[in-house]
Amino acid sequence: MARPELGVCYYPEHWEQSRWEEDARQMVGAGLTWVRIGEFTWGLTELGRNRFDWAWLDSALDVLGDAGLKVMFSTPTAVPPNWLVREFPEILPVDRAGRTRTSGSRRHYCLSSEKYVEEAKRITKEYVGRYGKHRAVQAWQIDNEIGDHDTAISYSAAALSGFRRWLQGRYTDIDTLNRSWNTKFWGGRFGDFDEIQLPVGSVTAPSPALELEFMRYSSGRVARFIGMQSGIIRKHSPGRPVIHNFMAGSYDFDHRRAAAHLDIAGFDSYPLGNLIEGHLSIDEKASWLRIGAPDYQGFHCDMYRELGQCGMWVVEQQPGPVNWASYNPAPVDGAVRLWTWMAYAHGADTVLYFRWRQVPFGQEQFHSALCHYDGTPDRARHEIAKVATERVRIPPTSRSRAKIALVVDYESRWAQRIHPHGLEYSGEFIAADWYRCCRELGNDVDIVGPETELLCYRLVLVPDMVISRDGFVSRLLDSQAQVVLGARCGSFDSLMQSPPGGAPGAFRRLIDVTVRRVESLPPWHREAVEFGDREYSVTGWREHVESDEPVMARFSGGFRDGAPAVLANVRTTYLAITPRGECLRRVLVDAMTRAGLPVTPAPEGIRVTFRRNIGFAFNFSGSPGMVPERPSQRFLIGARRVEPAGLSIWIEEDP
Amino acid sequence: MARPELGVCYYPEHWEQSRWEEDARQMVGAGLTWVRIGEFTWGLTELGRNRFDWAWLDSALDVLGDAGLKVMFSTPTAVPPNWLVREFPEILPVDRAGRTRTSGSRRHYCLSSEKYVEEAKRITKEYVGRYGKHRAVQAWQIDNEIGDHDTAISYSAAALSGFRRWLQGRYTDIDTLNRSWNTKFWGGRFGDFDEIQLPVGSVTAPSPALELEFMRYSSGRVARFIGMQSGIIRKHSPGRPVIHNFMAGSYDFDHRRAAAHLDIAGFDSYPLGNLIEGHLSIDEKASWLRIGAPDYQGFHCDMYRELGQCGMWVVEQQPGPVNWASYNPAPVDGAVRLWTWMAYAHGADTVLYFRWRQVPFGQEQFHSALCHYDGTPDRARHEIAKVATERVRIPPTSRSRAKIALVVDYESRWAQRIHPHGLEYSGEFIAADWYRCCRELGNDVDIVGPETELLCYRLVLVPDMVISRDGFVSRLLDSQAQVVLGARCGSFDSLMQSPPGGAPGAFRRLIDVTVRRVESLPPWHREAVEFGDREYSVTGWREHVESDEPVMARFSGGFRDGAPAVLANVRTTYLAITPRGECLRRVLVDAMTRAGLPVTPAPEGIRVTFRRNIGFAFNFSGSPGMVPERPSQRFLIGARRVEPAGLSIWIEEDP
Amino acid sequence: MARPELGVCYYPEHWEQSRWEEDARQMVGAGLTWVRIGEFTWGLTELGRNRFDWAWLDSALDVLGDAGLKVMFSTPTAVPPNWLVREFPEILPVDRAGRTRTSGSRRHYCLSSEKYVEEAKRITKEYVGRYGKHRAVQAWQIDNEIGDHDTAISYSAAALSGFRRWLQGRYTDIDTLNRSWNTKFWGGRFGDFDEIQLPVGSVTAPSPALELEFMRYSSGRVARFIGMQSGIIRKHSPGRPVIHNFMAGSYDFDHRRAAAHLDIAGFDSYPLGNLIEGHLSIDEKASWLRIGAPDYQGFHCDMYRELGQCGMWVVEQQPGPVNWASYNPAPVDGAVRLWTWMAYAHGADTVLYFRWRQVPFGQEQFHSALCHYDGTPDRARHEIAKVATERVRIPPTSRSRAKIALVVDYESRWAQRIHPHGLEYSGEFIAADWYRCCRELGNDVDIVGPETELLCYRLVLVPDMVISRDGFVSRLLDSQAQVVLGARCGSFDSLMQSPPGGAPGAFRRLIDVTVRRVESLPPWHREAVEFGDREYSVTGWREHVESDEPVMARFSGGFRDGAPAVLANVRTTYLAITPRGECLRRVLVDAMTRAGLPVTPAPEGIRVTFRRNIGFAFNFSGSPGMVPERPSQRFLIGARRVEPAGLSIWIEEDP
């Protein structure tokens, strides 16, 4: 089958049954092969406890299957029905202010509620039992966008008792916990597990060890929930891959551990909505208002590609303006095609658009779709049709491993939130900067975790792993890769304590550096750094390090001039700063050069990537750009010159 | 009696009884004929349940009446006494965070509390029974500034059960409600009215149909409350007009429906306080810091003039600095006179100043008054004295209907809040811009509602009626008026669903336009629009419309150039943009020209308006300005040249 | 003993017992003579009710004492143990939103909880009983940083009933309270003390009298708590001074009344952390990022010097970057020495650094210390060592009274918060400006309270005493001092009511001015003021005053030009404005000149101060500066030329 496969999210419950056949026919006609249904249907199939109305859903499934579509069925646990909330109000989540979050929208459940987990199990069994072996059902999605609207974490009474029990299981006795957490600080010793509180509402910051453990606990509840559903599906619907659609840009729970229970890692891609709500400068946002940040799609595909056991999908792809951002611009013509091909280039097998038809009621009325309210095609249909015809020209290949790995560690992200130290410090944004810099310099990147095998990489980037992990450092040592360590790396052990010898903890096995002091700096103060023959201006972070390792760059702004800003031995570069822009580029060019990697900057706004010998170029700028000339390059789609929002695909015959 | 009549708000309870006669004497001497009393006296007359102390209030009323003043008596329901709160704490309102709002200030009641309504009824009967036929009592005010401090809406348990009962009365059975609201979205089907929650505290946005219905319910509680008091007054104090003082700039409940129970619509006018807290740019605020926005007084007079069954009053007019804004500047000398005459020019019969004497205790100590703390006259007294002598020169006239109607629809305002789509979208500010533009172009405006008869208008402006209303469109069709429809008009039906065929819904009967997509745009992005020979820059909103109607302006900024930005057929103009400044002026000049209306821009900062053949000009700028020359113009007050903060009044003898 | 004495805060509980001797030895070696311990140990000594483990603390004390260190022991009430919170959850404080603030960090107690006070009394007796006569214990600290993290005020049920009882004690009957507070405003009459609510959560502003009384009540709870502990210490540990470490910059309770129970007033000095979080402009913050505001240390020393019955200490001195500000820069080399000498110059006898060794766990891991994590010396040790050797060169002297007194009145600060009138009005910032201006003009300042004897001053500055106090004005009259009164002085009586005759109330005995109107002005509006031959631009505040007193400066910006902006009779200057910068300097130069005080501006960024005939100069600028030449000046440390972050100390032999 030609790739990418295309599909769409469909809500038969929103439309007259008489329309379904026509919709299915049009889907097939548009080149779509997959259709996702079911994720918010619990309250529509179980009208009261054990009072089921399956008829409409049976029919919908038959209609879609009869049309030749493959159905990804979603378990309906994302929205507990109103009658269930009324029966067991204790299933509702509780927010940081101690307020119960009510029903009336979606995701109103607390994963610490055993009652909810039991009910979710029951309804999952009902759904999978009924439809698991239906010929049209070719994949399962579990729940929907877990963690969205800040729902990965709940401060309910159930969470408090669950957390206490979890800690008891983990530490057995309270003295072990006291010792492990060093509760002697501020005299916070516990006499009993029942004295432990959730990390919320305390007078000032609670114990960082407790905060990090609570994140682990909460994250574990998500993984357990996914695992529970996955087990049911595997048992009752064998052979169908299990998928979840993660939220791009969410780090509230460990997607990697959750994905261990899945076959395919999916994510939801909203390049414009996420641009508006993201961290880029206003100038950057203005540049990319209608096409999205050039590295948005690539970053998330590279990230979730790594998580899937056997594949990665874009489960929801933005087809036009959305309804939920502060501002909701329309994509430029060509953007939907570009995003689709870019997803494929970065490893997606399948791209589903959200949604088939714009809905004239409910909270998402202004979310565009492939069809207008009246069912006539909206503009994205033309772009999708184009992809559908283009894809037959691309020979099937898989994506090769990149030579550069960039490490994203969920626990480190939690640790940064627990103690950011500086108001603007964000490992997420730092990692995004590093990724972007690599991509601008023409190199592909794999996004890996702290437990990923690293032998195949020439360069491993560790922008923000503030938690020191021995096993990870061992893997780094085992590899032959150059390593670049960002400031703050290894600041904490696994309980948010300073590792023996202080930062960078276990990373000291790579480069003999000791961090003596850290400074977080306001954006209105800048430090000067001399790097070879040039002086750069940096801000945000400065570390005072002691080291005999070779110094690549030194501070030169008037305070302790000559102190090292960047150090590098034969294997490892350590940054005592958080550089951006030109200074970051200098650091990474150096590292790539040491690693023997090419440095081939593409023209401004062009992104080039590869699936083995198939090359892809995407133009995010406002003017035409030229694809870099490559050996034996034969264009399959497009040409050397790429128009704005355009793309080219070529094959390198003799790779 | 010469107009405007003048009056003042007075709190005899704040002063020694021995002072009352002197105060009353001075009021009369200052040319005041009306005095308002009573609105916060419940706790001072009913000292405990059924334990009354009327003596002081009896005396006060006698003293004022004996001096020849007409008393507007206010029912005292705005402040339930502390003993009542203690007896029935359930009368307190509940805020969005679920917190009970405590007593200790004012307006601490929830209109869903049947207990409170019952108590309010009881005390209203006591007051009206006792004073309803007193010769001095010539008018009644109901409560005070209902909705102030965000009190029109309460999320109490009483509100929840009241809302459920109200819905049950409206929909009869839950299936009808499910069908009407399309609760199949996100599987939100209700099995019972008791599963419905208030639209607060849900995980993400609740059902927009539910939100809008809750606004209707809450607004209805206000109207019911006013109606209840009005009924008592009409029964026990016949012949006295019933008034309420609405809050200028508040749209939390439908003032129009509430005013149906009143005789006279009053509002409270604070030109400087509202300027500081309003939406204008810093530059505009700085220009008008001491005089207020030029269209503030006119807009609100025009709005409430339309609501009164038999008249409109300014119940509280700012006399000097207030105490409650973020900054509290003093008015420039002349401003109080200017506001008073402007109120009259725009239709006010009576202007009461707030308050007689600055109070040396309590929350309003720094609110200036007509007298200083010590009872000596403050500066506004001189300006009022001037008005009192000037008014005899002005022959009595009523205000004619304007040729332009601007439509304000409360329900549309609620719908905009429920789904603004873009962060800055505000129908209130858009309507204010359109009004201002008309006034700058020399035209008077009536502010009307969706049920107002429109036959007499030449131009009807519909800046932001996002709810599609068939009856209103029929009235537009019946009129001969030109119509200008702002972007978003007709986006929703009465349950916040897309109307059949999508936006602009019923307005399609006027102009054959179909909105295919909407975009909300950030202020840091601008679109170019070609309008005739000029290009304008706009932001905020862009609609993608399909239409065969004539196109007046097209997009020209690089994205789908040529797409229509403004369309107009022989009757109706439709805007696919939300223009401001020059671009808006272009649109409205065009519409006025088609409507055969004059376009006669006054000098910068001058506002001209008419009561039939009496012309008024007001100078809000910092330099003298010239009144436009008019046929048979004879000046009654002032002259052609108007000083800053000055005014002229003339008669056109041969109108 | 040479001064300043130096010391350090130490947490033996954080370290292996085997390390204590070495630590103590190093402390002594570093020239430290004082060590503070104990303040967060309750949960570590009382492991359950009456289950004590004293052994470790006994040992720690012995080790420190044996090394020759003097111990300041802290009572451990700042952190109730977890078991106590579990036993009596009602001891927890409640925040403005009505949420109970949980345990898990520190300071989780409500001083209105009689249960907590009782428990605090019990544990204080235990500690003082056990260690009160230990030879090493030479001073006591009570609790720690009372009020930090917004803990001086609690809105608990205990606070409500405590406040009611306190009011009953104060007013005896409710009618007296009603009369005193003028509860007739907004009909807020109380029938009973039990109808009174806390000033929180009301619909709009509560009674200002009630708010101010609640501040007095809350402040009184703190004083009572300190008095209770102080009494125990005096009984069981005679001869040891009692200290509290107040939070610099906190005005939530009356530090002066609390200090009446102390011997020595201490405060915690964090020049960089407080700079970042303070009110200075970004430009100023950027200039002083690594050295702190030039007047921070001086201001707080001058303030707390006045509070101590027999001395003032810096109990916690910042030694490097802290962990708790939005940004945490490192001090420039020399800054810790400079701060130490500046503390001494301004009257501190003893300076303790916070803390001995950086702790590798808990909430303060990134707070630097005198030792690194590993126990090796951090940089501040070198600067302290330098101070320790330098101090023997300075002959002992005490600080003389200054000729200028600046008045800080806690109750006035509360009144300003209750009614700021203008968004940015802050008496705290105004007083800081006035202080800075005096210091820049070369004059020392005493910071005094409304009850301080004033006979010795030549100039008394009253920047923001909004509460009118007869006794204070009498003391002003008795003194021969020139007086400068800031705008708003005397606006309120002691129950937040306008004083008879209005502002400036009792100050009218000094200068015959009547404030007729006040205006608060936004920062984007400026008024012009003609002062002699120069025009200044001011903003923030304008008063309209009536007076026959001589006018020094008049408004000249176009609104009521010629109205007085500054008035001055032979004794007293009154400001109808809140000047800053050049205009403020003009006012104060005038006042100093009248007072016969020298005006000797030091070079930019240099601060000069005196302890009798010992002069000190500190350089906060980025370039070297010259100490002003003085008669018979002999340098003891440094020289005329002072390097950035450097200092000079000299003696004037013939003073």
Side-chain angles (χ1 to χ4, degrees), chain A residues 53-297:
Chain A
D53 172 13
W54 293 111
W56 69 271
L57 192 47
D58 292 352
S59 300
L61 195 54
D62 289 343
V63 167
L64 296 168
D66 289 348
L69 291 159
K70 295 183 281 189
V71 172
M72 173 157 74
F73 213 115
S74 174
T75 66
T77 49
V79 182
N82 289 316
W83 60 259
L84 179 59
V85 173
R86 191 184 180 194
E87 191 179 348
F88 299 114
E90 71 266 32
I91 68 172
L92 295 172
V94 173
D95 71 12
R96 288 194 65 84
R99 292 187 299 242
T100 297
R101 304 178 76 183
T102 59
S103 58
S105 59
R106 59 181 200 174
R107 307 208 49 66
H108 37 274
Y109 64 74
C110 167
L111 283 180
S112 286
S113 162
E114 295 298 344
K115 174 55 69 184
Y116 185 66
V117 172
E118 178 189 308
E119 289 289 316
K121 191 167 180 176
R122 186 180 61 77
I123 196 65
T124 299
K125 278 183 179 162
E126 291 283 353
Y127 268 64
V128 181
R130 185 170 193 89
Y131 297 119
K133 289 165 183 152
H134 192 286
R135 72 195 147 73
V137 176
Q138 300 286 317
W140 283 93
Q141 174 182 304
I142 288 173
D143 202 276
N144 182 70
E145 294 183 342
I146 294 185
D148 193 23
H149 320 301
D150 202 14
T151 53
I153 296 162
S154 166
Y155 299 93
S156 64
L160 176 57
S161 70
F163 182 45
R164 287 170 174 171
R165 283 196 311 274
W166 180 84
L167 288 171
Q168 195 151 19
R170 198 166 162 90
Y171 292 92
T172 311
D173 63 280
I174 198 69
D175 284 340
T176 305
L177 180 146
N178 280 314
R179 265 195 314 279
S180 306
W181 292 9
N182 277 299
T183 55
K184 52 204 169 195
F185 189 82
W186 286 351
R189 183 181 170 281
F190 298 105
D192 190 296
F193 285 94
D194 284 343
E195 291 174 3
I196 292 171
Q197 299 298 332
L198 297 182
V200 68
S202 54
V203 169
T204 183
S207 156
L210 183 148
E211 286 208 72
L212 187 58
E213 288 286 70
F214 183 63
M215 288 303 295
R216 285 194 182 104
Y217 162 76
S218 299
S219 181
R221 301 301 289 193
V222 176
R224 196 186 69 140
F225 187 68
I226 288 180
M228 174 274 282
Q229 295 204 21
S230 168
I232 293 169
I233 295 165
R234 288 193 167 129
K235 183 160 173 200
H236 298 288
S237 187
R240 277 78 167 180
V242 182
I243 300 179
H244 178 67
N245 57 332
F246 294 100
M247 296 286 294
S250 158
Y251 297 89
D252 286 355
F253 67 94
D254 189 331
H255 293 192
R256 205 170 272 120
R257 288 191 194 286
H261 300 284
L262 303 173
D263 301 301
I264 294 171
F267 80 100
D268 293 348
S269 166
Y270 290 95
L272 304 194
N274 287 151
L275 176 88
I276 291 288
E277 301 300 325
H279 76 290
L280 296 172
S281 71
I282 291 292
D283 282 352
E284 289 173 317
K285 289 185 184 182
S287 297
W288 299 319
L289 184 75
R290 296 185 181 284
I291 193 162
D295 298 300
Y296 172 88
Q297 189 81 324

Side-chain angles (χ1 to χ4, degrees), chain A residues 290 327-328 330 333 360 365, chain B residues 205 424 496 498 519-520 527 560:
Chain A
R290 296 185 181 284
Y327 308 101
N328 297 293
D333 294 324
Q365 287 175 60
Chain B
E424 281 100 1
M496 284 217 66
S498 182
E519 297 187 82
S520 54
E527 296 278 322
R560 297 189 185 159

Side-chain angles (χ1 to χ4, degrees), chain B residues 492-509:
Chain B
F492 299 107
D493 70 9
S494 64
L495 286 169
M496 284 217 66
Q497 302 173 357
S498 182
F507 290 110
R508 206 174 288 110
R509 292 160 60 197

Side-chain angles (χ1 to χ4, degrees), chain B residues 274-333:
Chain B
N274 287 151
L275 176 89
I276 291 288
E277 301 301 326
H279 77 289
L280 296 172
S281 71
I282 291 293
D283 281 353
E284 290 173 316
K285 289 185 182 181
S287 298
W288 300 319
L289 184 74
R290 295 185 182 285
I291 194 161
D295 298 300
Y296 172 88
Q297 190 81 323
F299 183 94
H300 293 104
C301 284
D302 291 350
M303 171 137 173
Y304 290 99
R305 187 179 67 235
E306 190 62 37
L307 269 63
Q309 313 297 308
C310 45
M312 181 269 292
W313 290 18
V314 177
V315 176
E316 300 184 7
Q317 178 66 58
Q318 176 169 6
V322 299
N323 65 303
W324 46 261
S326 303
Y327 308 100
N328 297 294
V332 70
D333 294 325

